[in-house]
Amino acid sequence: MIHLEHVYKSFGKQEVLHDICLDIQDGEVVGLLGPNGAGKSTLMKIMLGLWKADSGVVEVPSTHGYLPELNPLYDYMFVREYLAFMLRVESSKCKEDSKKRPLGYSSKSIVEEMIERVGLTPMANKRIGELSKGYRQRVGLAQAMMGDPELLILDEPTTGLDPNQLSEIREVIGSRGERKKEEGRRIEEGGQITILSTHILQEVEQMCSRIIILDEGRIKWDSTQSTIHNPQSTLEDIFRQVTNYGK
């Protein structure tokens, strides 16, 4: 699980995160919302260990996957070649993962699994530079999900996807929340945590079981989907009420 307690972060005199207290359980798919400058990126980077909090308690899973908003890829590499290369880069994670997989479950098998899961099979032998923006996003998602990390953070993951691709990617992201036991595959108790940061409220409604809204470095709203869907309010209404967006 993720446990954050009284987390603060400032850059110079500007306070970016103020007294963040948060618990996220295994299996949750969390939508992280907020206006520009709300502190979302800072919070995600602290969870990933890329930045340190100035103070407070930060406890997160040991394995991470991350898809940044600006998805950096090597355009000259072929899709399959790139994913195999990135798997080798994550050598320490691969060694740990290999202990949980049966003999014969090779790095090649892991790459082929990810290609299939994110719908890259028709493009696997093409150079990344030849791909559309939507397929480039799939390559980044495949890289982030490699090895089934316990924590997956996705920053604007559906940018550039057409309606059919959106449906497929939603299914991939949503399926992480309930990882099932399968014979001959990685077996663990519990689920995985997925955090989705996006400006598209519809995406959050369709993919997330819980919604957290940040504004001015503070958590202004933290609730499950069931408390939002009622005749009196919509997610857009709540977002406008608890933030300074549009004021």
Side-chain angles (χ1 to χ4, degrees):
M1 62 174 288
I2 291 174
H3 174 67
L4 304 181
E5 186 176 346
H6 304 303
V7 171
Y8 289 81
K9 180 66 177 178
S10 296
F11 295 98
K13 296 182 179 180
Q14 182 179 1
E15 186 179 62
V16 181
L17 294 178
H18 178 87
D19 197 22
I20 300 295
C21 296
L22 182 64
D23 287 305
I24 302 176
Q25 305 297 324
D26 288 347
E28 289 194 88
V29 180
V30 179
L32 183 61
L33 298 174
N36 290 333
K40 302 186 300 299
S41 294
T42 300
L43 180 58
M44 290 188 292
K45 288 178 180 178
I46 287 175
M47 289 181 183
L48 290 164
L50 299 176
W51 289 347
K52 288 187 177 181
D54 294 337
S55 61
V57 176
V58 178
E59 297 175 357
V60 297
S62 59
T63 59
H64 310 146
Y66 178 43
L67 176 62
E69 181 178 2
L70 299 177
N71 184 12
L73 299 170
Y74 297 139
D75 286 350
Y76 63 89
M77 297 184 77
F78 296 94
V79 171
R80 184 177 280 109
E81 175 192 18
Y82 172 77
L83 293 176
F85 169 71
M86 295 308 299
L87 188 59
R88 291 196 299 272
V89 170
E90 298 288 337
S91 58
S92 60
K93 188 183 299 184
C94 293
K95 289 177 182 177
E96 177 63 26
D97 191 56
S98 65
K99 299 175 184 178
K100 302 173 184 177
R101 294 183 181 272
L103 291 174
Y105 205 96
S106 63
S107 296
K108 182 178 179 180
S109 300
I110 298 172
V111 171
E112 294 305 318
E113 175 190 11
M114 292 313 307
I115 287 173
E116 182 178 353
R117 284 179 65 184
V118 302
L120 277 170
T121 301
M123 305 294 169
N125 295 317
K126 288 192 175 184
R127 293 187 188 274
I128 293 175
E130 300 174 0
L131 302 182
S132 67
K133 189 173 183 179
Y135 276 114
R136 290 171 66 89
Q137 281 294 90
R138 292 182 188 225
V139 174
L141 183 59
Q143 176 190 337
M145 294 175 62
M146 197 85 71
D148 285 330
E150 296 165 294
L151 170 61
L152 178 66
I153 293 184
L154 307 173
D155 194 355
E156 303 288 347
T158 58
T159 300
L161 303 184
D162 64 34
N164 290 332
Q165 293 171 335
L166 281 173
S167 178
E168 294 168 358
I169 295 301
R170 287 172 189 151
E171 185 176 350
V172 171
I173 295 172
S175 67
R176 276 181 44 89
E178 298 180 357
R179 183 170 56 205
K180 299 180 180 180
K181 298 179 180 180
E182 300 179 35
E183 184 178 355
R185 301 292 299 281
R186 179 176 177 177
I187 297 176
E188 294 181 2
E189 294 296 333
Q192 298 164 307
I193 295 172
T194 301
I195 297 177
L196 170 68
S197 177
T198 179
H199 289 88
I200 305 174
L201 302 187
Q202 182 183 12
E203 297 297 331
V204 173
E205 290 180 316
Q206 294 184 359
M207 288 190 282
C208 301
S209 57
R210 178 178 171 187
I211 297 168
I212 296 171
I213 300 177
L214 280 180
D215 190 31
E216 298 180 338
R218 294 167 167 82
I219 294 178
K220 297 294 186 72
W221 179 272
D222 182 358
S223 188
T224 60
Q225 281 274 24
S226 59
T227 63
I228 292 177
H229 289 286
N230 61 73
Q232 285 73 42
S233 64
T234 66
L235 179 54
E236 183 175 359
D237 293 334
I238 293 169
F239 185 83
R240 291 182 178 275
Q241 290 167 11
V242 303
T243 71
N244 287 319
Y245 180 78
K247 296 180 183 178

